[in-house]
Amino acid sequence: MKKIFCLVCCVFFVFVLHAENLLVNPEFKSSNQQTPDKWEQFQKVPCLSVFSTQDGILRISEKSPSYANMISQRINIDGTKSYYFEVEYKADALPYPAGVYYYFFDEKGTRLKEDYFALKTLGPQQDWQKITRVISIDNPVKVKGIRLSFVSYSKGENSDNAIYFRNPVLTEYKGQKIQAEAAVKSNSSDQLPDNLFTHNLTNTQSGVPYKLEKGQVGFLRFDTPKLGRRRNMRLNIQGPENMVFEAYFYKNTGLDLLTPVSNNKGNLSFDISSAYNWVSWGNMVLFTAGKDVPEKFNLQITLTAVKEKKSWSFSIPVEQIQSDRKYAVPKYYGYYSWHVFPLGRIDLKKCGPLAERLKNNWENSGWKQISFSHIARVFPTFKSHYSGGETSIPLGVNASGAPTELYCDSALLAGGTAFFIEQIKRNGKMEEIKNYTYVLWDYEPYCAGPVTISCFCDACIKNFTKDFHLPANLSGIEILQKYESQWVKFRCRQRAETVHTAVKAIKSINPNAKFMFCSMPLPPQKDDDYFRRYGIDLRLFDDFVDIHTPMNYGKSLDFYRSIEREAKELHHSRMTIISNGWGDASVMDPKRMAIQMLAAFFCDNQTPFIGQGLFIAQGDQVKAIKEMMTDVAQTEENWGQGNFDPEKIMVKAGFKAEKNLYSIDRKTKNGKKYLLLLNNDDRETIFAKICPERNKYLEVADLLYKHVIVPEKDEYILKLYPLSYRIIELSAQENRKDWKREFSKDNLADEEKAINNNEKLYRTISKNGITCRMTPDEYHVMTLSQSLIFSLKNSAQAEWKIGKKTVISSLGRDSFMPQFQLKNYPATLDACQIEPDHVKLTLSYMIDQIPYDGLIVRKSFIVYNNKPEITVDVAIIPENGFRQFRYRTTHVLAIGKELASKEDYAFRIEYQINQVKDNSGKTVSYIREGAKFPEKQPFFPKYVSEYKILIGDTFVAKDKIGAGKIILDATGVDQLFLWRIQSEATLETIYPDAYPVNDPHTVKTWEISYVLKYEDSSK
Ligand SMILES: [Zn+2]
């Protein structure tokens, strides 16, 4: 009896333990030692070697071709409950974040918008650290499932640092203890890293040339958190003769100008003693190039840790850019830059001449210095944004009663001005607020989630039900089920009131202080979901905010819609914060940023902000701003006199303009009207038609080009090149005899031509027995002897057919070795020309993934009319700078596949290389003599038992049953790989590295070509 009882007890106990954790296989059992069983692997480019799982520990390496590398599981949950999550992790020092990420699903399995991090870390974390979290559901009505992912974001790192996880638990929240984690322990300060600067000294990818304005000052960043403990370093810089350098490093309270220990014709050395702090932003080497320095040159940088005898070297290509324009600075308009290192930390009375010149150049681009007191982290709103010490304000609770990361809004508001003044005092900000004209609060509670996530404590529910005359006993879940829109309104109002209270506190300390409010912009359109998501409606703040500084980041037309809406609906002045990208080359876009700034001027932002600003700007950015500012200087006397005008002149979108054209209106007291017309697209030329009311304005002129526009049937038709703008004046007849006439008729003719060319490209064309036809997803080419179907959604891969039979199912499946697949990129048809005996067409696609982002692959095909033969020219165009790559193209065979056979396809395919047949049915590979491979080994050793020598340039594959034959003629191939397994067989060619040496100066378009022929030997 006793025994049985024990057994029952044990079984029951085990059952409870297992039932608790909703995760399947939390023990990370793995049958392949790479990914844990029952968990899914997510990567844009699959690369299994990123993961390893052993002894219950999941390891995710940063060495990956994909940006996001995830191990993930989807679990059904009840949205009206809260959940508890814990996991242990440790991490190496990582250049990009890693952690735990989750989002929710609805009933239909559709992913809901919001996503959250339970952990986001850069490491290093040497000891196992347990994190404990409450998972709050922001949408109890809809949420039916969660996807939880362990993730590492990487960017093609060569090093093999990793994050490790073990023992994850996901279970219903029932008051489990949420523990604060110890601060990340950085034990690695004594270990010197391989990768010292994630910003590559230039804020662009390594190998991308630094843009230096000719005659101006450029700079290289030398801040890094990776050197840890201060140490003695030697910095050597080598450039062409006639370069001038100044080095600034941080010590005690500011930047010191260093004296070189040696300086010999462009070869300098500096000793940076352990008194200097490597973490500090502002550590920089400024440089300028003398007149006879070539347009393109290299800076060779070597840093040596003296005691440890470890060196790092960097080759920084520099490209000088110039302009033939004479720049001017506007009188009225300018811009402010948040980060202006090194200038922000250099004592300008004790600096060198280059720092002085840098300052002048920035000022000549319209840069204005404003100083303000920044009160981030002082008031308890969002836990991880608060560092103001112990507080009486309780944390909020979510709709099902579990604690959240936000403080209770009602309690904060109830604290009144006294509480806010006390917080200012405690954080030592009294003097600062008294002394500054401007005080800025960066208020971002929405970072924790939408307003439906918190707080539903008794006080918050009481305030809400009182405001909306609802029964006082509603629960959080009931509120979200029945009164969500009222709740959103309530929270938006309450947050505005809270900020108002803080403003009263600030003004009681300094009545003259101007309050700047940094938060979300007005939504581009009327959008309730936006207020639910952000809980910030700037209109509710307008009465007490002196200057709105909304963070309006984005590339689309929504940027303009928001600033225009703010100009229309807010009364207080605005200094919109325009993003200019942080760290990542792909988001930097100098011309667009200048246009956004100009649009802000048109919407009465006299001095917009740029976010990270001049600290990360290269010469191209400053040049783009200077050019725009010069346009402003030349025209501000006209349009600057007026105000933003919400009454819009009708501007019709012409060809390609629908999604790219924007117009903003201004008006002066004397009745003149101004239009800023802009093309937001970086590739298309667009057309716009200004349609003013008949007879209201007698003259329409372009103030920048000094053109008087001549209408065509009451429409003023204009052409706008990619990322360009025009400033148009509508007025009574002016005396502009010497201005050029721009005829709408001519622009209309250009537009018609563009439309015709476009139609020609896209319509079905038939000639000489050849037909070309486009569908949304494909491009079909049919000749008398063969046809090809190109995928426009998948990198122009093609299916090759002879008659009705497919002979190659995937022609031209590209990749870069070792494992970067060029698939699923949208392809465009650039040209198609039918000749009597062939059709020639060109398709291209652009790679948008790091590290190859910006490379364009262009393929031209000659498809013959009377013979089953195709010539393919492949060109890879190095947009966005130098990147080394090694091209491989794969053709998947389908000859004879329609024929039934008992034999595996692999055994039916016979290869013939240099007259020698191979019928082994196995994967084989051939290597060119003298070919150079990374790590001195040809590719795919796992699949090949023996490499043969590659002789000749003709490679044949034949189906022994159907007797169809594919002949590939290709020169310059280093390795031929013939994959043959079960039902698959391929012809794959691997080429040498595109550039013989890793020197950015050798960058040029890389080209190869090959010919494919089909023969039927049974006939
Ligand atoms: Zn509350």
Side-chain angles (χ1 to χ4, degrees):
M1 183 69 201
K2 217 175 171 186
K3 263 185 186 169
I4 292 171
F5 177 76
C6 244
L7 195 68
V8 170
C9 226
C10 284
V11 167
F12 181 71
F13 185 62
V14 169
F15 173 76
V16 167
L17 268 184
H18 280 267
E20 265 199 329
N21 196 346
L22 297 168
L23 297 170
V24 182
N25 185 22
E27 303 85 6
F28 289 151
K29 281 183 199 128
S30 170
S31 33
N32 63 359
Q33 268 79 56
Q34 298 202 277
T35 50
D37 301 343
K38 313 267 182 183
W39 290 76
E40 290 165 80
Q41 166 194 0
F42 273 95
Q43 283 165 306
K44 202 162 177 186
V45 182
C47 177
L48 197 59
S49 63
V50 170
F51 308 101
S52 70
T53 306
Q54 265 165 0
D55 305 325
I57 298 169
L58 165 66
R59 178 186 195 274
I60 312 179
S61 165
E62 64 180 348
K63 192 175 187 175
S64 167
S66 286
Y67 180 66
N69 305 281
M70 301 188 202
I71 289 295
S72 162
Q73 201 167 99
R74 187 174 147 179
I75 302 117
N76 290 336
I77 55 171
D78 174 355
T80 62
K81 292 177 174 158
S82 297
Y83 290 83
Y84 168 81
F85 172 71
E86 67 171 53
V87 71
E88 290 169 68
Y89 83 99
K90 58 181 189 173
D92 303 322
L94 303 167
Y96 300 100
V100 183
Y101 160 82
Y102 60 91
Y103 52 80
F104 302 111
F105 290 96
D106 68 9
E107 207 168 32
K108 288 181 190 154
T110 311
R111 177 184 171 163
L112 300 176
K113 230 194 250 165
E114 260 67 68
D115 39 51
Y116 300 93
F117 277 92
L119 169 72
K120 199 174 186 180
T121 179
L122 290 170
Q125 173 67 41
Q126 284 202 326
D127 306 327
W128 284 103
Q129 165 90 288
K130 182 155 129 184
I131 59 157
T132 49
R133 298 278 185 271
V134 175
I135 292 183
S136 293
I137 314 284
D138 61 60
N139 200 334
V141 184
K142 276 194 187 159
V143 168
K144 302 286 180 218
I146 183 172
R147 182 175 285 284
L148 187 81
S149 304
F150 298 98
V151 61
S152 167
Y153 294 99
S154 175
K155 294 199 174 184
E157 294 295 310
N158 286 320
S159 43
D160 189 25
N161 290 336
I163 185 159
Y164 303 77
F165 298 100
R166 68 180 187 193
N167 303 329
V169 176
L170 179 74
T171 180
E172 203 183 314
Y173 177 74
K174 286 183 173 159
Q176 288 91 333
K177 197 165 177 232
I178 303 300
Q179 289 153 335
E181 286 110 50
V184 171
K185 253 196 263 167
S186 174
N187 298 331
S188 71
S189 59
D190 282 344
Q191 290 166 15
L192 290 166
D194 295 324
N195 179 3
L196 203 47
F197 301 102
T198 50
H199 50 63
N200 290 318
L201 311 182
T202 59
N203 301 303
T204 46
Q205 284 159 20
S206 129
V208 177
Y210 181 90
K211 310 283 188 307
L212 174 67
E213 282 182 283
K214 210 174 170 77
Q216 297 298 348
V217 175
F219 50 82
L220 302 176
R221 284 174 69 175
F222 280 92
D223 56 281
T224 175
K226 295 194 176 181
L227 276 175
R229 203 164 51 80
R230 296 178 179 200
R231 53 187 96 222
N232 291 312
M233 304 284 287
R234 161 67 64 101
L235 168 63
N236 180 265
I237 305 170
Q238 210 176 341
E241 275 185 51
N242 291 322
M243 293 285 300
V244 185
F245 297 94
E246 268 171 27
Y248 293 86
F249 278 79
Y250 194 85
K251 191 164 80 183
N252 303 330
T253 55
L255 292 170
D256 270 10
L257 174 59
L258 303 190
T259 313
V261 286
S262 72
N263 186 354
N264 181 24
K265 293 181 181 170
N267 188 350
L268 287 85
S269 290
F270 298 93
D271 277 346
I272 301 155
S273 79
S274 59
Y276 291 96
N277 183 352
W278 282 90
V279 179
S280 174
W281 281 356
N283 292 341
M284 275 188 188
V285 171
L286 310 189
F287 61 93
T288 189
K291 276 204 181 103
D292 48 358
V293 171
E295 297 296 297
K296 290 180 181 181
F297 59 89
N298 260 4
L299 292 176
Q300 204 60 45
I301 314 286
T302 312
L303 256 177
T304 309
V306 179
K307 196 176 127 216
E308 295 85 351
K309 295 196 179 107
K310 176 165 173 138
S311 288
W312 298 261
S313 42
F314 309 88
S315 177
I316 312 282
V318 180
E319 190 181 313
Q320 301 199 60
I321 52 169
Q322 57 182 327
S323 171
D324 38 23
R325 279 186 86 172
K326 199 170 175 302
Y327 295 125
V329 191
K331 263 190 215 144
Y332 183 71
Y333 296 99
Y335 72 100
Y336 166 78
S337 170
W338 187 290
H339 290 142
V340 285
F341 304 109
L343 291 188
R345 286 187 171 145
I346 288 179
D347 181 349
L348 289 166
K349 288 177 205 119
K350 285 192 278 181
C351 71
L354 293 193
E356 190 73 40
R357 275 170 66 183
L358 181 67
K359 176 174 171 273
N360 290 341
N361 190 36
W362 286 359
E363 282 174 351
N364 288 336
S365 72
W367 170 55
K368 293 194 159 99
Q369 297 191 63
I370 298 168
S371 48
F372 54 81
S373 167
H374 185 201
I375 48 167
R377 302 184 165 271
V378 172
F379 306 131
T381 56
F382 179 21
K383 203 172 157 193
S384 63
H385 290 182
Y386 176 63
S387 55
E390 283 286 311
T391 177
S392 56
I393 308 298
L395 279 177
V397 294
N398 67 21
S400 52
T404 68
E405 298 282 295
L406 281 169
Y407 289 95
C408 169
D409 295 86
S410 296
L412 182 61
L413 178 58
T417 49
F419 174 79
F420 284 92
I421 292 169
E422 180 56 30
Q423 288 296 118
I424 290 168
K425 267 189 202 152
R426 281 175 58 172
N427 286 274
K429 286 272 178 184
M430 286 298 269
E431 285 309 302
E432 202 180 290
I433 289 177
K434 270 183 204 161
N435 294 330
Y436 277 86
T437 316
Y438 299 98
V439 178
L440 181 140
W441 187 13
D442 193 357
Y443 179 69
E444 304 183 32
Y446 44 79
C447 290
V451 298
T452 49
I453 208 156
S454 170
C455 168
F456 294 88
C457 73
D458 293 347
C460 284
I461 289 180
K462 197 176 143 207
N463 288 337
F464 168 67
T465 51
K466 208 175 118 201
D467 273 16
F468 285 87
H469 309 291
L470 294 168
N473 58 355
L474 286 175
S475 72
I477 298 288
E478 281 169 331
I479 291 172
L480 294 183
Q481 279 167 342
K482 294 180 199 155
Y483 306 106
E484 195 194 73
S485 66
Q486 289 92 326
W487 178 263
V488 172
K489 274 192 196 122
F490 161 71
R491 193 101 281 170
C492 285
R493 280 188 221 154
Q494 196 186 36
R495 284 186 176 172
E497 226 180 304
T498 304
V499 173
H500 192 187
T501 311
V503 176
K504 284 183 203 154
I506 290 163
K507 299 235 168 168
S508 77
I509 298 164
N510 177 0
N512 297 320
K514 296 239 180 271
F515 179 69
M516 301 166 89
F517 184 58
C518 175
S519 201
M520 288 303 288
L522 276 181
Q525 271 122 10
K526 287 193 172 40
D527 183 354
D528 287 341
D529 192 54
Y530 185 95
F531 295 122
R532 177 187 175 277
R533 171 72 190 84
Y534 297 107
I536 302 288
D537 180 348
L538 283 189
R539 294 169 299 186
L540 304 174
F541 295 73
D542 204 24
D543 286 343
F544 51 86
V545 164
D546 296 301
I547 302 169
H548 296 278
T549 61
M551 292 175 277
N552 191 347
Y553 301 162
K555 276 181 157 188
S556 75
L557 294 184
D558 280 349
F559 170 87
Y560 307 100
R561 292 187 186 113
S562 274
I563 50 165
E564 203 180 42
R565 203 173 157 198
E566 284 157 8
K568 203 165 144 183
E569 298 183 33
L570 301 178
H571 301 103
H572 278 97
S573 66
R574 282 148 288 114
M575 293 172 74
T576 292
I577 306 177
I578 298 166
S579 171
N580 63 341
W582 195 208
D584 193 348
S586 58
V587 297
M588 278 211 230
D589 206 337
K591 271 192 174 173
R592 179 174 281 108
M593 200 184 79
I595 295 177
Q596 289 187 340
M597 237 182 231
L598 175 60
F601 297 157
F602 257 72
C603 291
D604 288 333
N605 281 248
Q606 192 186 345
T607 320
F609 271 41
I610 52 176
Q612 295 75 32
L614 291 165
F615 174 35
I616 61 166
Q618 296 188 3
D620 52 349
Q621 196 145 26
V622 178
K623 178 175 174 249
I625 296 175
K626 282 201 275 193
E627 284 178 348
M628 180 276 293
M629 288 289 184
T630 304
D631 290 341
V632 171
Q634 284 165 3
T635 56
E636 68 181 335
E637 285 301 321
N638 307 78
W639 58 268
Q641 302 288 322
N643 290 101
F644 167 77
D645 184 7
E647 267 174 40
K648 292 196 118 180
I649 295 254
M650 194 209 285
V651 180
K652 285 192 210 158
F655 183 59
K656 295 276 185 194
E658 203 65 62
K659 289 180 185 142
N660 304 319
L661 171 73
Y662 206 81
S663 71
I664 301 174
D665 298 46
R666 288 181 73 83
K667 198 161 77 182
T668 55
K669 281 194 187 116
N670 58 17
K672 284 186 191 174
K673 180 93 177 175
Y674 295 92
L675 290 183
L676 171 68
L677 291 187
L678 60 93
N679 177 0
N680 196 46
D681 193 79
D682 52 6
R683 281 170 308 180
E684 306 281 5
T685 294
I686 66 168
F687 293 85
K689 292 162 193 178
I690 306 173
C691 316
E693 279 172 62
R694 205 182 264 259
N695 300 331
K696 194 165 176 196
Y697 302 100
L698 297 172
E699 194 163 286
V700 174
D702 183 313
L703 298 181
L704 293 173
Y705 291 90
K706 294 200 181 342
H707 283 178
V708 172
I709 319 288
V710 181
E712 180 72 13
K713 291 179 188 152
D714 290 342
E715 288 185 346
Y716 298 82
I717 300 163
L718 297 173
K719 185 174 174 177
L720 286 108
Y721 294 103
L723 281 185
S724 73
Y725 53 84
R726 303 190 66 165
I727 297 176
I728 304 296
E729 184 185 87
L730 296 94
S731 60
Q733 199 98 41
E734 306 276 331
N735 183 21
R736 285 166 173 154
K737 287 201 183 107
D738 54 335
W739 285 32
K740 273 207 185 112
R741 308 284 121 172
E742 178 174 339
F743 291 95
S744 294
K745 206 170 54 182
D746 297 345
N747 288 333
L748 187 64
D750 283 357
E751 185 185 18
E752 275 162 9
K753 210 195 277 170
I755 293 169
N756 284 338
N757 284 342
N758 193 59
E759 277 175 0
K760 234 187 255 166
L761 198 60
Y762 285 89
R763 76 171 179 225
T764 299
I765 38 175
S766 287
K767 215 159 91 181
N768 313 327
I770 297 172
T771 299
C772 298
R773 177 166 63 87
M774 186 176 277
T775 71
D777 298 344
E778 290 166 348
Y779 196 70
H780 295 246
V781 175
M782 283 149 282
T783 77
L784 294 174
S785 60
Q786 57 186 331
S787 58
L788 280 163
I789 302 162
F790 295 92
S791 167
L792 299 176
K793 293 220 159 144
N794 187 10
S795 314
Q797 283 184 29
E799 181 184 352
W800 186 20
K801 286 176 148 183
I802 308 295
K804 284 186 176 160
K805 291 174 198 163
T806 301
V807 294
I808 287 186
S809 58
S810 188
L811 186 157
R813 183 199 283 173
D814 300 338
S815 60
F816 289 150
M817 297 306 294
Q819 52 193 8
F820 191 93
Q821 295 181 48
L822 305 176
K823 65 176 185 185
N824 297 332
Y825 294 115
T828 54
L829 177 70
D830 300 333
C832 182
Q833 183 75 33
I834 297 180
E835 305 290 349
D837 73 332
H838 69 268
V839 49
K840 184 175 178 184
L841 70 154
T842 304
L843 292 134
S844 63
Y845 63 89
M846 193 176 75
I847 304 169
D848 63 2
Q849 274 171 294
I850 286 168
Y852 300 109
D853 54 321
L855 290 183
I856 292 169
V857 180
R858 194 179 61 210
K859 294 184 170 186
S860 296
F861 298 82
I862 293 174
V863 186
Y864 291 94
N865 200 3
N866 291 309
K867 53 179 177 178
E869 183 175 325
I870 302 161
T871 302
V872 187
D873 293 332
V874 181
I876 300 181
I877 304 155
E879 296 289 328
N880 274 13
F882 178 83
R883 258 77 53 84
Q884 181 66 276
F885 58 85
R886 185 187 283 253
Y887 180 75
R888 159 183 169 209
T889 193
T890 298
H891 309 297
V892 181
L893 300 175
I895 25 168
K897 260 203 168 169
E898 72 284 357
L899 301 172
S901 81
K902 282 179 189 160
E903 225 177 342
D904 263 347
Y905 192 63
F907 284 94
R908 286 171 48 183
I909 293 296
E910 169 188 282
Y911 292 117
Q912 192 178 328
I913 312 300
N914 190 36
Q915 314 296 329
V916 181
K917 290 175 181 168
D918 182 301
N919 281 304
S920 65
K922 289 181 183 156
T923 297
V924 285
S925 183
Y926 297 75
I927 309 299
R928 187 80 64 192
E929 253 184 318
K932 285 183 190 138
F933 293 101
E935 289 152 30
K936 305 209 163 72
Q937 193 186 27
F939 298 103
F940 308 117
K942 269 192 205 165
Y943 303 109
V944 183
S945 54
E946 172 205 9
Y947 293 102
K948 299 176 185 178
I949 296 171
L950 181 60
I951 299 168
D953 298 319
T954 300
F955 320 123
V956 183
K958 183 181 153 193
D959 170 36
K960 287 186 281 178
I961 295 181
K965 202 193 254 184
I966 302 282
I967 302 153
L968 168 64
D969 281 313
T971 52
V973 175
D974 259 10
Q975 181 173 358
L976 181 69
F977 183 65
L978 307 168
W979 169 259
R980 202 163 38 175
I981 188 161
Q982 293 167 5
S983 63
E984 281 178 46
T986 64
L987 276 171
E988 307 187 32
T989 46
I990 302 169
Y991 290 84
D993 275 345
Y995 307 105
V997 284
N998 275 321
D999 178 355
H1001 293 113
T1002 61
V1003 71
K1004 61 172 187 198
T1005 297
W1006 181 83
E1007 289 170 304
I1008 52 123
S1009 57
Y1010 58 86
V1011 179
L1012 280 162
K1013 290 178 219 158
Y1014 173 78
E1015 272 179 28
D1016 189 346
S1017 49
S1018 66
K1019 282 175 191 167

